[in-house]
Every structure is written in structure tokens, then in C-alpha cells.
């Protein structure tokens, strides 16, 4: 199968490209290196040192993995996207290429506008290019469990059967996301569903939970194949952050009372879910939604698990929640579709956590302690921002 991975230089995109290539698929990657740019902007670096995309691709060929072609360019450039998709003529497009941090999108108005423009326009360009080039191309799009928020009813996989005033219908599950980033994914989902309806495209929207983990079978083959691992208060995700905090002797930062519950998934399962979704495509005209996580844990449970397993002393600190989010809430999300396709979940285990402690121990000298605490607050407004048009232009 010919597969184009958008955002193929990122935390998940790079190991996904390797996994698919290792399984014999013809893989091409696209990226505009925006993620490396956010590091420069914030003044942080991945805990694990990462090679350039050129070095990564050369390393993959050297270890016998095969050739992966790179398309460097911005998904917001419609002409570039059209040309790339016409050139690759993929069977499947795996779309990771978006700004993915909720705190980054909440820094101020400019970052919210950038996030929504980058994500929504990029995805629209991909949809238009598929519609023009070949409507059989299957779009596998990374959404997020955060699209649903924390409703007081069971979360279904994308769709909900409703009965209202004696009539029934199947509607997109109601969304109540918790950041301008998460909202960008809701807008994407609606645009993709509409494109399936009007143009007969085929798409799988993968509403993924919080990912943790540092490597996959392929990234371990050579240091140049390693993927990024973020720990800072803007891009670091909760479990990865807490592992690093434990190793550094920093208190584990539970925001608020820690009852907020999320779906989690290990990196090795992420790349496998992409394979499963790609190899069993949606039907023409079908907008298919899978919830992509393997277990539900509260933030407090995550912190307690990491603190318990850490061989040294690890303390937990409840810090004032910088976000506006429900802490005490009902949470029960269905996640059976990927298991039905063959996913065998890798659940959080002592072995996995010990391995993460080892990874962090090797690189802990690279941590900037000043980057650990959260700095972005949901309650702040953009009122003090300058309001010239150029201030709101997407950042490069
Ligand atoms: P990441 O930031 O490491 O990777 C995203 C990649 O996309 C980056 O390399 C970036 O440079 C690229 N990109 C961004 N905008 C682009 C544009 N306009 N044109 C071309 N490339 C562009 O993020 P990640 O953690 O690998 O996440 C990948 C996807 O998975 C995102 O869409 C994210 O929303 C989703 N997701 C991630 C997680 C998680 O915990 N990491 C969980 C659920 C869903
Ligand atoms: N949290 C803490 N302490 C921390 C960091 C986070 O208590 O040090 C809490 C947050 O308040 C939140 C939860 O942990 O309640 C998850 O936060 P996170 O930063 O790990 O994840 P989130 O902001 O939701 O975003 C991440 C990815 C995003 C993806 C999302 C999946 O960055 O791309 O879409 O996870 S989900 O959460 O299911 O929407």
C-alpha cells in the first residue's frame, strides 16, 4: 500500500512512518518543521535528542528499512498539497500534521488563531486535493478524545442514536472540547464528515487519547531514529511529564484535585492502530470514527502509579489548575472498534514505566527545570494584545 504520512517528522508521525515502512508499505512523509519551530519559540528541546529529517531518512535506509520519500512543505499551501498528493498518489493519507498542544493554543489570541488556521485550513486543503486527485484515497485523520470533553453520559465512537419528540436519528456525537486546539479538531471532524457526504470521500477519524511512551521497535534500532519526547509545561503530556518529574526529584504536578479522567494509549499501540485503520479502509462516502485509547485513568491515578513505581522518592503536589476543565465528572468512553479490527492493547505496566525511567535517566541532563511548571492559564484573555492584522497572521 502507498501511504503518505502528514506531520511525519513529529512525535507520532515519525514512528508511524517507520512502522508502516517496516511492514512493507511504500511510505512518504510530509512536514514543514513547525514543531521544531515551536521549540525555538518556547526555548525548550525534546528530552531525547532528535536527528534532522534528512538524517532520520538516511539512517532508516542504512539499517535496511528502505526508502521513505520526504515532501517538505506547509499543508496550508493549497498548491503544494495538491501537487504532493498528485505526485504520491497514495492509497492512504495519515494526517498528523497539526499544532497539537492545548496550552500552546491558549497562550493568547495569536496562538489560538494560528492553531485553528493551521489545523482547519491544512485539513481543508487535504480534503480538496483528495477530491480533485482521487476520491478513493482513504484519509486516516488524527482527532482527539478531547473533542467530546467530559459529558455526563457514555461517550460513543463518533455517532449517537438520538430520539427526540418521538423521532429517531443518527447524529455526530455532541462535542464540548476544552481548548481552542481541541476545538480545531471538532471543526476538522465536521469538515471531513461533510466532504464524505458531498464528495463521497472515505475517512477514518481517530479520536485518540493522551499518548505516552518513548520508542517503538523501529526507533530503537539507531539513535538517529529516535522520536521526540516532550516534558515542558506547554507540549509535555501528563504521563511522560510525570515520569521525568519523578526522575528529576521534582514533585509530580497534579493539576487541581486530579480526579479528571482521560483515555491513555502507548506509542506502540498508536502506530499499530494506524496500520489497522489503513489496512481496513472506510467505505466510499463513509465517515468512520474510532476512539483510539486503551485504558482510562484519572490524573491522580497516573501520579500515584508513577510515584509508587519510582525506585527513589517521588512526591505528588496538587498545583492550582491552570486550565478550566471539570475535575469531578462521569467518564465512560467506548473503545471497541480498533480491538474488533485486531488491536491487542499494551496496558500501562511496571515494565513500561521502568523503561521510561531508564530513558529519562539517560537524558536528564538535557532538562531545563524552568520549563516544567505550567505557565499558560485558560482564564487569561487576549485583551492586552495588539490588534493589527499582522499580529494575527499565522506564525512560521
Ligand atoms: P507533533 O507536534 O510532534 O507532530 C505534528 C507534526 O506536524 C510536527 O512535526 C509539525 O511540524 C507538523 N505540522 C504541523 N503543522 C503543519 C503544517 N501546516 N504543514 C506540515 N506539517 C505540519 O504532534 P504529535 O504528538 O505527533 O501528534 C500528532 C497528531 O496526533 C496531532 O494531530 C495531534 O493532535 C494528534 N494527537 C496527539 C496526541 C498526543 O498525546 N501526542 C494525542 C491525541 C491526538
Ligand atoms: N495535567 C496535569 N498535570 C500535568 C499535565 C497535565 O494534571 O503536569 C492534566 C491536565 O489538566 C489534563 C490532563 O492532565 O486534565 C491531560 O493533559 P495533557 O497535557 O496530558 O493532554 P491534553 O492537553 O489533553 O493534550 C494531549 C495532546 C493532544 C491530544 C490530547 C488527547 O497534547 O494533542 O489531543 O492529549 S485528549 O486528552 O484525549 O484530548
Amino acid at each position: 500500500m502507498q501511504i503518505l504520512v502528514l506531520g511525519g517528522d513529529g512525535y507520532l508521525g515519525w514512528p508511524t512512518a517507520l512502522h508502516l515502512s517496516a511492514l512493507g508499505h511504500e511510505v512518504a512523509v510530509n512536514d514543514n518543521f513547525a514543531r521544531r519551530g515551536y521549540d525555538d519559540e518556547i526555548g525548550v528541546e525534546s528530552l531525547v535528542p532528535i536527528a534532522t529529517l534528512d538524517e532520520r531518512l538516511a539512517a532508516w535506509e542504512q539499517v535496511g528499512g528502505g526508502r521513505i520519500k520526504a515532501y517538505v512543505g506547509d499543508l496550508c499551501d493549497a498548491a503544494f498539497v495538491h501537487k504532493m498528493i498528485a505526485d504520491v498518489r497514495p492509497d492512504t493519507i495519515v494526517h498528523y500534521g497539526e499544532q497539537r498542544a492545548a496550552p500552546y493554543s491558549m497562550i493568547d489570541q495569536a496562538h489560538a488563531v494560528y492553531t485553528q488556521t493551521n489545523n482547519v485550513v491544512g485539513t481543508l486543503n487535504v480534503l480538496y486535493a483528495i477530491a480533485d486527485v482521487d476520491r478513493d484515497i482513504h484519509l486516516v485523520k488524527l482527532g482527539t478524545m478531547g473533542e467530546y470533553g467530559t459529558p455526563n453520559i457514555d461517550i460513543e465512537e463518533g455517532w449517537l442514536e438520538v430520539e427526540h419528540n418521538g423521532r429517531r436519528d443518527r447524529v455526530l456525537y455532541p462535542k464540548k472540547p476544552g481548548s481552542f486546539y481541541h476545538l480545531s479538531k471538532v471543526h476538522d471532524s465536521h469538515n471531513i464528515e461533510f466532504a464524505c457526504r458531498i464528495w463521497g470521500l472515505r475517512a477514518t477519524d481517530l479520536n485518540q487519547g493522551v499518548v505516552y511512551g518513548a520508542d517503538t521497535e523501529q526507533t530503537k534500532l539507531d539513535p538517529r531514529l529516535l522520536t521526540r519526547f516532550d516534558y515542558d509545561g506547554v507540549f509535555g503530556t501528563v504521563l511522560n511529564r510525570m515520569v521525568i518529574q519523578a526522575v528529576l526529584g521534582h514533585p509530580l504536578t497534579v493539576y487541581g484535585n486530579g480526579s479528571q479522567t482521560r483515555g491513555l494509549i502507548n506509542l506502540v499501540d498508536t502506530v499499530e492502530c494506524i496500520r489497522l485503520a489503513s489496512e481496513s479502509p472506510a467505505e466510499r462516502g463513509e465517515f468512520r470514527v474510532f476512539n483510539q485509547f486503551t485504558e482510562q485513568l484519572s490524573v491522580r491515578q497516573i501520579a500515584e502509579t508513577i510515584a509508587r513505581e519510582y525506585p527513589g522518592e517521588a512526591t505528588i503536589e496538587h498545583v492550582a489548575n491552570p486550565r478550566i476543565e471539570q475535575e469531578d465528572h462521569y467518564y465512560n468512553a467506548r473503545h471497541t472498534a480498533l480491538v474488533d479490527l485486531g488491536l491487542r492493547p499494551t496496558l500501562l505496566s511496571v515494565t513500561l514505566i521502568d523503561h521510561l525511567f531508564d530513558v529519562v535517566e539517560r537524558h536528564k541532563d538535557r532538562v531545563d527545570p524552568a520549563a516544567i511548571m505550567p505557565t499558560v492559564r485558560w482564564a487569561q484573555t487576549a485583551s492586552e494584545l495588539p490588534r493589527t492584522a499582522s499580529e494575527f497572521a499565522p506564525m512560521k
Side-chain angles (χ1 to χ4, degrees), residues 100-103 143-147 181-182 208-210 236-238 241-242 245 253-255 260 262-263 299 321 323 325:
R100 70 103 174 126
T144 176
M145 284 303 293
E147 290 187 37
Y181 152 70
H182 288 98
Q208 186 170 235
V210 185
T237 48
V238 62
R241 264 167 71 69
M242 287 180 174
Q245 291 167 347
T253 53
V254 169
Y255 297 168
Q260 61 272 44
R262 296 290 180 267
V299 167
N321 197 333
R323 307 184 182 201
E325 60 183 356

Side-chain angles (χ1 to χ4, degrees), residues 107-129:
I107 291 175
D108 58 21
Q109 185 169 348
H111 288 79
V113 171
Y114 164 74
T115 299
Q116 293 211 354
T117 308
N118 185 61
N119 296 1
V120 175
V121 172
T123 297
L124 269 176
N125 287 341
V126 172
L127 292 171
Y128 264 91

Side-chain angles (χ1 to χ4, degrees), residues 7 9-12 30-35 73-75 96-98 100 118 142-143 181 185 208-211 228 237:
D9 187 49
Y11 171 48
L12 307 179
N30 153 260
D31 212 288
N32 69 345
F33 308 127
R35 178 67 193 85
D74 190 342
L75 294 174
Y96 284 112
E98 300 199 329
R100 70 103 174 126
N118 185 61
L142 270 292
Y181 152 70
K185 296 287 191 182
Q208 186 170 235
V210 185
V211 183
R228 55 178 312 121
T237 48

